[in-house]
């Protein structure tokens, strides 16, 4: 049987997968509209491209206690026979092909991962780590009670302050800035797909480097991952941290702070990596945190201020303002291809 693509994602310390053919869209957690009559695992409704869809938290759906919501949570919109539901998880990783021959169907996956057997399609071992394959159709279920949530006219919505109950119930740690950001995410998702098609948006991944905000073109990003065990490489420049095994592929990790001439004060541990591909070169850009994914119009890109250090500004494409923050967009292809950073494919 031919290999089938699966979307890999994580919740707490466990990795899960859903058949990629059932994934409609993936985005970071937006503000939701709570509903009084919803099932206990449904946090609320989302206006998704002019269509209301229910959004559930995977913790609650699997019968576990909710560990609150976080700014970096992701929502995976899953389709089952035309019915769509958003599923909140912690982090979306990548899409990989899994051969059906390697999927174990015996369901003996350990007591620490108790899951309703109806949700379980099987398990697969990848790089000595277990991945739980979920049955998307059973996971999102769509009897009449669930389908009624998408037709909210007969439901009780908090129209005066729709966000209040969402934050009090599921996101009590949210600051005013966090609430603004989640509201903006939800507002962007309201736009119908047809309307968005006529606008040339640019997507960027916002990251933290030395405590400051920078951004990288999302078109260059293959996936986000956690930095694992690093093997040092002798006789390499200081910005080459070493190599890491990423599902059998040797990934060279680089720190762009030095090539960008960023100060070393207040340097924090870089535990995340952005796997980027530029002209056939694949490298892991280590960062302190992946903050958000946002979109902007090309005309909103501002030039780099003249006062910026020339060693830094030559590798920046420009600045984008978002609420009360500004992001420097790193010109990663220029940084890689013009010699400031050299990544050997065989490193």
């Amino acid at each position: 049987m031919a290999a089938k693509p699966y979307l890999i994602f994580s919740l707490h310390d466990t990795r899960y997968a859903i058949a990629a053919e059932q994934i409609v869209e993936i985005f970071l957690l937006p503000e939701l509209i709570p509903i009084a009559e919803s099932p206990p695992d449904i946090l609320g409704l989302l206006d998704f491209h002019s269509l209301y869809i229910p959004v559930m938290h995977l913790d609650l759906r699997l019968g576990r206690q909710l560990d609150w919501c976080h700014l970096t949570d992701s929502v995976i919109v899953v389709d089952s026979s035309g019915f769509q539901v958003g599923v909140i998880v912690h982090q979306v990783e990548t899409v990989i092909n899994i051969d059906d021959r390697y999927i174990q169907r015996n369901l003996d996956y350990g007591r620490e991962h108790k899951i309703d057997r109806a949700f379980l399609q099987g398990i697969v071992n990848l790089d000595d780590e277990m991945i739980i394959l979920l049955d998307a159709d059973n996971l999102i279920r769509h009897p009449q009670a669930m389908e009624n949530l998408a037709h909210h006219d007969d439901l009780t919505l908090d129209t005066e302050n729709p966000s209040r109950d969402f934050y009090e119930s599921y996101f009590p740690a949210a600051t005013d800035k966090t609430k603004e950001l989640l509201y903006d995410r939800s507002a962007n998702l309201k736009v119908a797909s047809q309307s968005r098609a006529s606008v040339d948006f640019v997507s960027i991944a916002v990251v933290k480097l030395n405590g400051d905000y920078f951004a990288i073109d999302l078109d260059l990003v293959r996936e986000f991952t956690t930095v694992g065990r690093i093997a040092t490489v002798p006789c390499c420049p200081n910005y080459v941290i070493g190599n890491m095994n990423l599902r059998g592929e040797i990934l060279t990790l680089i720190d762009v702070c030095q090539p960008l001439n960023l100060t070393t004060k207040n340097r924090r541990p870089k535990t995340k990596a952005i796997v980027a591909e530029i002209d056939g070169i694949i490298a892991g850009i280590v960062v302190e945190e992946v903050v958000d994914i946002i979109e902007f119009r090309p005309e909103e890109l501002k030039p780099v201020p003249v006062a910026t250090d020339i060693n830094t500004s030559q590798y920046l494409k420009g600045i984008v303002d978002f609420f009360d923050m500004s992001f420097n967009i790193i010109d990663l292809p220029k940084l890689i291809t013009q010699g400031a950073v050299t990544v050997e494919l065989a490193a």
Side-chain angles (χ1 to χ4, degrees):
M1 182 178 291
K4 182 178 179 179
Y6 284 83
L7 177 73
I8 309 298
F9 57 91
S10 61
L11 184 69
H12 305 294
D13 297 324
T14 303
R15 298 172 76 192
Y16 300 88
I18 289 178
E21 63 188 4
Q22 293 187 266
I23 307 302
V24 178
E25 193 169 331
I26 303 167
F27 43 83
L28 290 171
L29 177 69
E31 184 178 275
L32 303 176
I33 304 173
I35 338 170
E37 298 87 352
S38 64
D41 55 353
I42 299 296
L43 272 58
L45 287 180
L46 174 65
D47 190 342
F48 178 61
H49 303 326
S50 299
L51 173 70
Y52 278 94
I53 63 171
V55 178
M56 70 170 59
H57 199 290
L58 187 57
D59 262 338
L60 295 176
R61 183 61 175 136
L62 297 181
R64 300 168 181 163
Q65 183 176 358
L66 176 63
D67 186 29
W68 306 121
C69 290
H70 306 87
L71 185 63
T72 54
D73 287 346
S74 291
V75 176
I76 304 170
V77 179
V78 182
D79 182 278
S80 174
S81 302
F83 182 71
Q84 296 180 0
V85 173
V87 181
I88 300 175
V89 302
H90 283 164
Q91 183 177 1
V92 175
E93 298 181 13
T94 187
V95 174
I96 63 173
N97 289 322
I98 299 177
D99 195 308
D100 189 69
R101 293 175 297 175
Y102 301 112
I103 299 177
Q104 302 174 32
R105 310 285 185 178
N106 59 14
L107 309 184
D108 184 15
Y109 52 92
R111 296 179 180 178
E112 69 275 17
H113 298 296
K114 291 182 179 179
I115 298 177
D116 189 321
R117 289 176 181 266
F119 302 152
L120 187 65
Q121 186 182 72
I123 60 174
V124 64
N125 284 309
L126 187 65
D127 295 335
D128 296 325
E129 185 176 1
M130 183 184 68
I131 297 178
I132 300 174
L133 307 185
L134 297 174
D135 185 315
D137 293 324
N138 290 338
L139 185 73
I140 71 172
R141 73 173 184 274
H142 46 93
Q144 191 63 40
M146 274 289 284
E147 292 187 357
N148 287 342
L149 294 179
H151 305 284
H152 61 284
D153 295 339
D154 297 329
L155 299 175
T156 303
L157 298 178
D158 186 355
T159 55
E160 295 184 1
N161 193 353
S163 67
R164 181 187 59 199
D165 288 341
F166 169 67
Y167 292 111
E168 288 181 355
S169 300
Y170 308 116
F171 207 151
T175 64
D176 289 341
K177 183 176 292 187
T178 297
K179 293 177 182 179
E180 284 186 38
L181 185 55
L182 266 65
Y183 174 80
D184 186 74
R185 290 176 183 174
S186 66
N188 289 336
L189 288 167
K190 290 180 182 179
V191 182
S193 301
Q194 298 91 326
S195 301
R196 292 181 61 82
S198 62
V199 180
D200 186 19
F201 285 101
V202 178
S203 299
I204 55 176
V206 181
V207 301
K208 267 191 176 181
L209 289 171
N210 283 14
D212 293 324
Y213 293 99
F214 289 85
I216 295 175
D217 286 339
L218 198 62
D219 287 343
L220 304 173
V221 178
R222 199 174 73 173
E223 64 179 282
F224 304 102
T225 188
T226 299
V227 174
R229 182 180 299 177
I230 300 174
T232 58
V233 181
C235 304
C236 280
N238 293 334
Y239 55 75
V240 177
I241 298 176
N243 289 337
M244 184 183 84
N245 188 320
L246 182 63
R247 297 185 301 278
E249 179 181 14
I250 302 301
L251 179 69
T252 300
L253 299 175
I254 62 176
D255 186 346
V256 296
C257 289
Q258 179 181 334
L260 289 175
N261 199 35
L262 300 179
T263 177
T264 58
K265 71 176 183 178
N266 299 325
R267 181 165 289 188
R268 302 167 187 174
K270 297 178 175 64
T271 59
K272 301 294 182 181
I274 295 178
V275 183
E277 183 170 359
I278 301 102
D279 295 336
I281 298 174
I282 299 174
I285 313 301
V286 294
V287 299
E288 296 157 22
E289 181 183 351
V290 178
V291 179
D292 202 353
I293 294 174
I294 66 171
E295 295 177 326
F296 67 93
R297 294 177 175 84
E299 59 268 22
E300 296 174 334
L301 183 66
K302 298 180 180 179
V304 179
V306 178
T308 305
D309 182 271
I310 189 171
N311 293 318
T312 301
S313 63
Q314 64 178 321
Y315 299 116
L316 299 178
K317 297 177 65 174
I319 294 178
V320 171
D321 294 326
F322 191 70
F323 289 114
D324 57 347
M325 297 183 289
S326 295
F327 307 129
N328 289 290
I329 301 180
I330 300 173
D331 191 338
L332 199 57
K334 185 177 181 180
L335 192 68
I336 297 291
T337 61
Q338 296 192 8
V341 173
T342 304
V343 180
E344 297 292 341
L345 290 175

